[in-house]
Amino acid sequence: MHMAHFGELGLHYSVTGPEDGTPVVFANSLGTDFRLWDKILPLLPAGLRILRFDKRGHGLSDVPQGPYSMGALITDTERLMEHTGFRNSIFIGLSIGGLIAQGLAAKRLDLVRAMVLSNTGAKIGTRDMWADRIKAVNEGGLEAVVGPTMDRWFSKPFQADPEFPAWRNMFLRTPAMGWTGCGAAIAGTDFISSTSGLRLPTLAIAGSEDGSTPPDLVFETADLVPGSEKRLIRNAGHLPCVEQPREYAEILTAFLRAQGAA
């Protein structure tokens, strides 16, 4: 268990793999912690140096008073990568993690040489939509939004799987301040202009049953970056690394190897 401290903020993170391995960073979604990636890690090539972390307000990281800005989330990630020596990395971001990927790539190409935009967009939802969700959580906790969120996140068959309650519980145990703080960051983010200026290897992954970031949104975002690749995973929702880990890992592995990873 590792904590990095930046002023009053402590971030929980994990680094695995050989010190000379290809640096790969994973950034997870709103309402999850870095265990989101557990299923796929054993399926990836050997020789990767992997950084996972709980963004502010999530998992075992500190929960500062919100709301948060996307700029703050990007700076947190930038500082953590510098702290752990992750430069020239392949950055894999899912949902809000994909927004962090886009913002960090626009700011620090020395840190990000290739990116995977999984189940994300350059802009996700509207300010009014996020204001309504934040109001609901402020008044009723995450219980107020868990049902619709799970319906957007997971396919109907997976919601009958014995594993499903664990993901529901992970969501519910996210600190409400962390969720609303990051929700405010998403609400205020529009990276369409800055992402359209990016020129780096990019892979977009979408889930066919994703009700949060539908395939059209994911692929329209990918089209902003010339030469980007697009992959659709069927029978999966917003977290395809959970519902279809083997296919997700195969897609990632092909991209990683194309970037010269082990």
Side-chain angles (χ1 to χ4, degrees):
M1 188 177 295
H2 299 286
M3 293 288 289
H5 296 277
F6 307 108
E8 296 181 354
L9 176 68
L11 291 179
H12 177 233
Y13 71 94
S14 166
V15 174
T16 55
E19 291 187 7
D20 61 349
T22 301
V24 181
V25 181
F26 287 87
N28 47 280
S29 65
L30 182 68
T32 66
D33 60 40
F34 70 53
R35 288 176 293 176
L36 176 69
W37 309 105
D38 281 356
K39 280 187 172 184
I40 68 163
L41 294 192
L43 305 175
L44 297 178
L48 303 177
R49 180 79 164 166
I50 293 174
L51 169 64
R52 296 180 292 160
F53 65 99
D54 294 333
K55 61 188 161 292
R56 62 169 63 199
H58 285 68
L60 300 184
S61 291
D62 288 343
V63 188
Q65 180 70 35
Y68 312 148
S69 69
M70 187 57 61
L73 296 175
I74 291 166
T75 296
D76 292 346
T77 308
E78 179 182 11
R79 288 173 173 171
L80 182 61
M81 290 177 69
E82 290 178 334
H83 174 77
T84 52
F86 274 72
R87 296 182 180 276
N88 201 33
S89 303
I90 301 168
F91 198 106
I92 300 163
L94 192 152
S95 195
I96 189 174
L99 287 170
I100 292 170
Q102 293 168 70
L104 186 61
K107 183 180 182 183
R108 293 287 303 272
L109 275 177
D110 61 315
L111 298 182
V112 182
R113 68 178 176 90
M115 63 181 180
V116 177
L117 303 180
S118 180
N119 305 81
T120 191
K123 183 178 187 297
I124 301 175
T126 65
R127 285 183 180 273
D128 288 346
M129 181 197 81
W130 284 106
D132 289 345
R133 292 178 183 176
I134 289 168
K135 181 174 185 290
V137 172
N138 284 337
E139 294 175 352
L142 285 171
E143 284 280 5
V145 298
V146 66
T149 300
M150 295 298 102
D151 284 340
R152 289 191 300 269
W153 276 18
F154 295 107
S155 67
K156 290 299 182 184
F158 188 80
Q159 291 185 47
D161 190 284
E163 182 186 330
F164 170 73
W167 294 99
R168 187 179 187 275
N169 290 341
M170 181 186 287
F171 179 86
L172 287 173
R173 290 173 187 174
T174 302
M177 178 67 73
W179 192 95
T180 59
C182 287
I186 297 172
T189 300
D190 183 342
F191 280 155
I192 292 173
S193 178
S194 57
T195 296
S196 66
L198 292 175
R199 300 293 183 270
L200 75 166
T202 299
L203 167 66
I205 301 176
S208 65
E209 311 305 309
D210 188 349
S212 290
T213 52
D216 284 351
L217 173 65
V218 180
F219 295 154
E220 286 168 5
T221 300
D223 286 340
L224 296 173
V225 184
S228 61
E229 302 175 43
K230 291 172 273 195
R231 298 289 184 271
L232 177 68
I233 298 181
R234 300 195 179 278
N235 303 312
H238 192 54
L239 309 178
C241 51
V242 171
E243 291 196 61
Q244 302 293 343
R246 189 163 298 279
E247 183 176 356
Y248 195 93
E250 288 172 355
I251 291 169
L252 275 190
T253 294
F255 183 75
L256 291 167
R257 285 183 169 150
Q259 310 314 313

